[in-house]
Structure formats: structure tokens, C-alpha cells
């Protein structure tokens, strides 16, 4: 079979698979088709680059959840106060789901300090226990740095050096670039992904305010994908 014919057959198979999934009422899309064929991060898929990220869950988790949120988003704060603890206990702690955060801001031109603080706390193992700090109103940048440094158990000057590190700035800007590629319309947005038998990732996207029940339904749907 000629190369052109092989490509046509592969394309037809992908279209057929999508039609079957929709016919089953799953509401799933092929993530590789939606975002391009080159997946940089082996677990998350395109358009995510291979880099350090705040992630919870077992190494062998079969479902990846990427939560896109902002610290100045009320719905994002409510989700982590009300729904996330239950979802973490049911699906992350059980080993089924790995949960990754992609932090951004409602205004792409907003100050990046808090986002850089979050990355520095992640480096020191205090990201997941610092959500009240992330969502709090801060009197000034100096107070924010002091509070974060105290939480991380380091001197304020040392923590400030991390915040001012160009590599941290690069991580934050790459987060914003990924959000742009994903064409996020509402916050929070949840991307739930699982790899099919042929290695292609299947995605469920949930936008806006969510509950334990809505996330659970989406996870259960992905569990049935083979």
C-alpha cells in the first residue's frame, strides 16, 4: 500500500472511532486530533511540554485530569474548598487518577508574582497544602513572600531569590502559553484524558463550575474507554 493510501486509511479510522464514541453518547474527542499529533509530555499529551508540574497521584494512574484555574477565580476557589477533597479521596488516593494543576490568571496581563510563588512552593513540597495562601487577599508582595517563606521553612530572602529566578518566570510563561493553545474559555476548565488501546489520548472537557458528581460521571465514562 502506498504511503498516501496508508495516511488516508489512518485518517478514516480516526474519524470512524470518533463517530462510534459519539454514537455511544460518550461525548469524547480524540485529544491528539484536537491539539495536533505531536505529544511532548508522554502522560498528558499535546500541547503540554515535558516540565515540572504540580501533580498528585500514582505513577501508573490510567486517567489524567488537568485542571486549568486561576487564583482570582471564585469558582476555582469554591471547587477546591467543596469538591476537590472528596474527589482526591475517591479517585486520586485510590490510584485511578493523576491530578495536574495548570495555574493561570483571569487577566493574562496580570502580575505573575503569586504564580511564581506557587511554583517555588511546589519545588519545596508545599504546593498542595498552600491553597488558602493562593486564594487569600494579600496586603502586599512583601507580605506574600514572607508568608510563603514561612510555610516553606526558609528565610524570606532565600524564597524571594526563588521567585526572582528566571527559570521560574519561564515556567509561568510556558503555563500561559499552554492555556492559550488549549483555547480556554471558562475557568476552571478540566481536561480528563485516557489513552486508547492504540496509544491515542481520548479527552473529556468540562468547563466552568463543577461538582463532585459531574467530575465523577466524566471519570466513570473514561474508565470504560478501551
Amino acid at each position: 500500500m502506498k504511503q498516501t493510501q496508508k495516511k488516508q486509511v489512518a485518517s478514516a479510522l480516526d474519524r470512524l472511532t470518533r463517530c462510534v464514541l459519539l454514537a455511544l453518547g460518550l461525548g469524547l474527542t480524540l485529544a491528539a486530533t484536537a491539539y495536533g499529533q505531536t505529544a511532548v509530555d508522554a502522560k498528558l499529551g499535546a500541547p503540554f511540554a515535558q516540565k515540572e508540574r504540580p501533580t498528585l497521584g500514582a505513577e501508573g494512574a490510567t486517567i489524567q485530569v488537568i485542571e486549568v484555574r486561576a487564583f482570582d477565580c471564585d469558582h476555582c476557589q469554591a471547587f477546591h474548598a467543596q469538591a476537590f477533597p472528596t474527589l482526591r479521596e475517591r479517585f486520586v488516593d485510590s490510584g485511578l487518577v493523576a491530578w495536574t494543576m495548570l495555574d493561570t490568571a483571569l487577566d493574562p496581563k496580570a502580575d505573575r508574582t503569586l504564580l511564581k510563588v506557587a511554583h517555588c512552593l511546589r519545588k519545596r513540597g508545599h504546593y498542595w497544602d498552600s491553597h488558602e495562601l493562593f486564594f487569600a487577599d494579600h496586603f502586599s508582595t512583601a507580605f506574600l513572600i514572607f508568608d510563603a517563606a514561612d510555610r516553606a521553612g526558609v528565610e524570606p530572602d532565600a524564597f524571594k531569590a526563588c521567585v526572582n529566578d528566571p527559570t521560574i518566570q519561564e515556567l509561568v510563561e510556558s503555563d500561559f502559553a499552554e492555556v492559550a493553545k488549549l483555547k480556554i474559555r471558562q475557568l476552571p476548565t478540566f481536561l480528563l484524558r485516557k489513552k486508547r488501546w492504540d496509544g491515542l489520548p481520548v479527552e473529556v472537557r468540562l468547563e466552568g463550575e463543577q461538582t463532585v458528581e459531574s467530575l465523577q460521571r466524566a471519570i466513570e465514562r473514561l474508565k470504560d474507554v478501551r
Side-chain angles (χ1 to χ4, degrees):
M1 184 181 292
K2 294 182 179 180
Q3 190 67 24
T4 301
Q5 291 175 313
K6 289 181 179 179
K7 290 182 179 179
Q8 290 174 340
V9 170
S11 177
L13 286 172
D14 275 345
R15 288 197 299 271
L16 177 60
T17 302
R18 254 199 318 275
C19 290
V20 170
L21 290 172
L22 290 173
L24 290 173
L26 295 176
L28 308 177
T29 60
L30 291 176
T33 302
Y35 302 114
Q37 293 294 330
T38 303
V40 178
D41 187 296
K43 291 185 177 180
L44 301 183
F48 298 101
Q50 183 67 48
K51 65 180 184 181
E52 296 179 352
R53 301 176 183 276
T55 301
L56 276 179
E59 187 72 20
T62 57
I63 296 175
Q64 305 291 326
V65 175
I66 304 101
E67 179 185 349
V68 187
R69 65 161 183 194
F71 297 138
D72 52 349
C73 159
D74 291 339
H75 291 318
C76 304
Q77 182 176 9
F79 175 81
H80 270 271
Q82 300 167 12
F84 181 72
T86 300
L87 290 165
R88 179 176 178 173
E89 181 180 1
R90 289 183 186 175
F91 300 109
V92 178
D93 295 346
S94 69
L96 176 65
V97 168
W99 199 288
T100 297
M101 304 303 307
L102 179 56
D103 296 321
T104 184
L106 291 175
D107 180 2
K109 298 180 181 179
D111 181 77
R112 309 293 208 243
T113 301
L114 183 54
L115 296 165
K116 291 189 286 186
V117 164
H119 272 290
C120 287
L121 284 170
R122 173 192 55 75
K123 289 184 67 174
R124 287 161 176 76
H126 287 281
Y127 177 92
W128 293 98
D129 59 2
S130 298
H131 282 82
E132 70 276 15
L133 175 70
F134 297 153
F135 289 112
D137 292 326
H138 300 288
F139 180 74
S140 68
T141 299
F143 277 101
L144 169 61
I145 298 294
F146 182 85
D147 289 346
D150 182 63
R151 183 175 294 273
V154 299
E155 292 297 321
D157 286 346
F159 196 87
K160 185 176 181 180
C162 175
V163 171
N164 292 331
D165 188 333
T167 60
I168 295 296
Q169 178 69 29
E170 290 172 4
L171 283 173
V172 171
E173 295 306 325
S174 69
D175 289 344
F176 273 85
E178 289 174 348
V179 171
K181 291 177 182 177
L182 290 166
K183 297 181 173 19
I184 300 299
R185 299 176 298 181
Q186 287 182 275
L187 292 177
T189 287
F190 302 85
L191 308 176
L192 295 85
R193 292 181 170 184
K194 180 180 179 180
K195 288 186 178 180
R196 301 187 318 184
W197 62 271
D198 57 3
L200 284 178
V202 176
E203 176 183 292
V204 176
R205 178 183 284 225
L206 302 177
E207 298 179 324
E209 187 176 7
Q210 301 297 324
T211 63
V212 171
E213 291 73 24
S214 62
L215 264 297
Q216 180 165 323
R217 284 194 297 269
I219 291 170
E220 294 293 341
R221 283 154 58 188
L222 275 181
K223 281 175 62 178
D224 294 333
V225 171
R226 296 291 183 264

